[in-house]
Amino acid sequence: MQKRALITGITGQDGSYLADWLLSEGYEVVGMVRRSSTLNFERIAHIQDRLTLVSADVLDEVSIVEVLREHRPDEVYNLAAQSFVQTSWGQPVLTGEVTALGVTRVLDAIRLTNPEIRFYQASSSEMFGKVREVPQTEHTPFYPRSPYGVAKVYGHWITVNYRESYGLHASSGILFNHESPRRGLEFVTRKVTNGVARIKLGLDREIRLGNLEAKRDWGFAGDYVQAMWAMLQQDEPDDYVVATGETHSVRELCEVAFARAGLNYEDHIQIDQRFKRPAEVDFLVGNAAKVREKLGWRTHVDFVGLIEMMVDADLDVMRRQVS
Ligand code: NAP
Ligand code: G4F
């Protein structure tokens, strides 16, 4: 029988790739969207006619209960979040409501309507923060460094707790940074690749950045959503680190992105204190042995391939806009 999945956060980067993947696996996909004054369906425009979009909000538990009652999914992927770390200092309470308590609202809605639903929680390597060991595994202690990281620690543990308290099939994917041409413009990879395209076409001269020495384990979002799905196909729920195992600095990201366009990053980067964070996560690198061994998960795009893909995509978009 055809399976039905509900995705919260379907309009986001991961939601759109996960919807692509689930459709290709023969699922019926229901996407939760929150009300806004203008439509923001760009990332799912190519598949919109194959999706059922329903209005609800993770701030409003009744709306989630109604969606579950009406659409009766077999699997729920909870990707909704205030996901930008910098914003979490300016809006710490909102970040807690959406990114932390939002998880409990979805879990409670599952518990009350159909505890057989399989649940995926989008946990984050930001939970490791000021890292306690290198590389980070499922057993590395958490030390979050932002209100966002703190909220994700809550979301992770409430998922574990509902699994242990109520026997829910609830899994938590501790995903390291993953990017794509659909990444939001505020995140550093896309800020740089979009900026490179603008500079190449003469629309801008510089990109203003914060800490160039921060290191991240960057992978391709299209690969990472396959791990989310694989977790829910297991007999037993569990927690998994999903990462490439390689780390690169923001400076290296700039070097690769500018080189793709035949430019030297040193000619175009300005350091701007506004983009430095009150507390930084200096270094992340994950050990994905468990997800590789147990779920057979693999990456298909490496760091240079990812950044070049993003520069090429931004150049294409920008060329179409200016022509
Ligand atoms: P994203 O592009 O920022 O998407 C976030 C999604 O959440 C959007 O669809 C947004 O809807 C939705 N949302 C926000 N507030 C909501 C609310 N109150 N009710 C319902 N929906 C709401 O994030 P992403 O990169 O796809 O990440 C997906 C998830 O994975 C997030 O939970 C993020 O924290 C987590 N994560 C991401 C990474 C990464 O590197 N990308 C790594 C680890 C974990 P609108 O379009 O209406 O704003
Ligand atoms: O691209 P970023 O904003 O991503 P960050 O903070 O690592 O968070 C992302 O990955 C997490 C997984 O680890 C997710 F949970 C989270 O939702 C999000 O998707 O920043 C990456 C690094 C930081 O160290 C930041 O200080 O880049 C540094 N950076 C330097 N200049 C900058 C800038 N980041 C941004 N966004 N903008 C800058 O101008």
Side-chain angles (χ1 to χ4, degrees):
M1 212 172 74
Q2 188 182 31
K3 280 198 207 166
R4 192 176 301 134
L6 171 73
I7 304 176
T8 75
I10 196 166
T11 53
Q13 170 189 259
D14 290 8
S16 68
Y17 280 104
L18 180 62
D20 287 341
W21 173 253
L22 293 175
L23 288 173
S24 76
E25 288 293 310
Y27 278 68
E28 186 182 335
V29 178
V30 180
M32 183 198 282
V33 296
R34 55 180 177 158
R35 195 262 161 189
S36 67
S37 64
T38 51
L39 288 184
N40 61 342
F41 295 169
E42 298 87 0
R43 294 182 175 110
I44 48 172
H46 61 294
I47 48 172
Q48 206 177 321
D49 57 347
R50 300 171 65 200
L51 304 172
T52 304
L53 298 180
V54 293
S55 176
D57 196 304
V58 297
L59 294 174
D60 186 328
E61 186 161 342
V62 170
S63 71
I64 309 167
V65 169
E66 289 293 348
V67 167
L68 295 185
R69 275 201 191 130
E70 190 178 339
H71 295 277
R72 289 178 302 187
D74 303 292
E75 298 171 5
V76 170
Y77 295 86
N78 184 40
L79 310 186
Q82 188 304 93
S83 76
F84 189 41
V85 172
Q86 184 95 48
T87 292
S88 75
W89 278 283
Q91 299 176 10
V93 175
L94 177 82
T95 301
E97 285 286 354
V98 178
T99 305
L101 286 176
V103 187
T104 310
R105 293 190 189 98
V106 178
L107 284 164
D108 264 340
I110 289 174
R111 183 173 68 81
L112 295 172
T113 57
N114 175 13
E116 295 305 311
I117 292 172
R118 295 187 174 197
F119 174 80
Y120 172 82
Q121 167 57 16
S123 290
S124 167
S125 52
E126 278 290 304
M127 300 190 302
F128 297 123
K130 190 167 180 174
V131 296
R132 306 285 90 189
E133 78 179 324
V134 177
Q136 295 85 54
T137 74
E138 291 79 7
H139 303 292
T140 303
F142 299 140
Y143 192 142
R145 294 274 280 171
S146 63
Y148 168 84
V150 173
K152 281 290 180 187
V153 171
Y154 175 93
H156 173 79
W157 282 117
I158 201 71
T159 301
V160 173
N161 181 263
Y162 271 47
R163 178 166 79 215
E164 295 176 354
S165 302
Y166 302 112
L168 297 187
H169 192 296
S171 294
S172 171
I174 306 174
L175 271 53
F176 283 62
N177 300 52
H178 45 279
E179 319 291 317
S180 74
R182 299 184 202 165
R183 186 60 142 153
L185 285 166
E186 68 274 39
F187 298 94
V188 76
T189 52
R190 186 77 198 289
K191 181 172 173 179
V192 169
T193 62
N194 177 264
V196 165
R198 293 182 62 80
I199 292 167
K200 182 70 180 173
L201 299 188
L203 302 171
D204 246 329
R205 299 177 62 158
E206 64 177 28
I207 308 175
R208 304 184 79 81
L209 294 175
N211 178 11
L212 297 191
E213 309 316 327
K215 288 189 152 186
R216 289 290 182 277
D217 179 330
W218 277 297
F220 172 52
D223 288 339
Y224 284 47
V225 297
Q226 295 182 19
M228 300 176 185
W229 169 78
M231 286 175 214
L232 299 207
Q233 309 318 305
Q234 305 308 302
D235 290 340
E236 297 300 326
D238 206 343
D239 307 322
Y240 297 88
V241 159
V242 182
T244 69
E246 261 186 47
T247 192
H248 298 275
S249 64
V250 174
R251 185 182 295 282
E252 285 172 81
L253 150 70
C254 294
E255 257 181 75
V256 172
F258 277 91
R260 181 65 170 179
L263 301 167
N264 181 350
Y265 81 98
E266 287 169 315
D267 298 335
H268 301 281
I269 296 295
Q270 288 294 328
I271 301 301
D272 187 329
Q273 297 303 321
R274 285 179 305 153
F275 298 110
K276 293 202 170 161
R277 296 177 177 183
E280 179 61 287
V281 172
D282 294 311
F283 179 90
L284 289 174
V285 63
N287 175 344
K290 180 174 171 182
V291 74
R292 287 177 182 280
E293 282 158 25
K294 287 202 162 177
L295 307 190
W297 179 76
R298 296 281 175 275
T299 54
H300 301 94
V301 182
D302 67 6
F303 171 69
V304 171
L306 171 67
I307 302 308
E308 291 185 345
M309 174 208 298
M310 292 175 68
V311 171
D312 293 352
D314 275 320
L315 276 167
D316 278 354
V317 171
M318 210 66 70
R319 284 195 178 110
R320 268 186 264 126
Q321 279 174 10
V322 296
S323 67

